[in-house]
Amino acid sequence: VKLVESGGGLVQAGGSLRLSCEAAGLDFDEYTAGWFRQAPGKEREGVSCVTKLKGRTYYADSVKGRFTISSDNANVYLQMNSLKSEDTAVYYCAAQTRPTHTYCADWTMDYWGEGTLVTVSS
């Protein structure tokens, strides 16, 4: 399984970006897909997850109402609106294929992309 992110870049505060993640060897319609991020000097955190098969989604409080996750077959997307400087981070796509009791936690993810940098200038 290989996950490849794209769509990161530099954007002004208040702007929008759409991150994409393409999976090879995995169908996001069957498993949980997630976006995580790690800002400089901070731990990696779960941003959003989706389990299309179960109609389940999760958003971190810090992004609710601004970010939207979606997926189809081999792709998962993160639409990010009203970006803030505190959204600056490396964003990682991840996939969970094993059942767990904890949802959208990085230790439950089985596959990871290499990350894409999002920089929001204030």
Side-chain angles (χ1 to χ4, degrees):
V1 174
K2 185 176 182 181
L3 306 179
V4 180
E5 304 96 337
S6 62
L10 174 64
V11 63
Q12 289 187 334
S16 299
L17 280 177
R18 187 188 194 215
L19 303 183
S20 299
C21 173
E22 183 174 7
L26 183 143
D27 186 345
F28 282 128
D29 284 349
E30 299 182 11
Y31 301 109
T32 295
W35 287 96
F36 294 76
R37 68 185 181 186
Q38 187 166 21
K42 295 186 177 181
E43 294 186 353
R44 187 165 56 190
E45 62 172 345
V47 176
S48 182
C49 289
V50 60
T51 308
K52 192 172 183 179
L53 189 64
K54 298 184 177 180
R56 184 178 184 181
T57 57
Y58 162 85
Y59 293 96
D61 288 342
S62 58
V63 306
K64 282 180 182 177
R66 301 189 297 121
F67 290 12
T68 303
I69 193 170
S70 60
S71 67
D72 65 78
N73 298 119
N75 300 282
V76 60
Y77 309 96
L78 187 68
Q79 177 67 43
M80 306 186 295
N81 299 326
S82 302
L83 283 161
K84 306 175 181 179
S85 58
E86 50 263 45
D87 295 318
T88 294
V90 177
Y91 284 72
Y92 298 90
C93 172
Q96 176 191 318
T97 59
R98 298 169 294 131
T100 68
H101 294 293
T102 304
Y103 194 67
C104 207
D106 59 358
W107 64 85
T108 67
M109 295 296 168
D110 301 302
Y111 302 100
W112 292 87
E114 294 188 351
T116 185
L117 176 63
V118 172
T119 303
V120 183
S121 63
S122 57

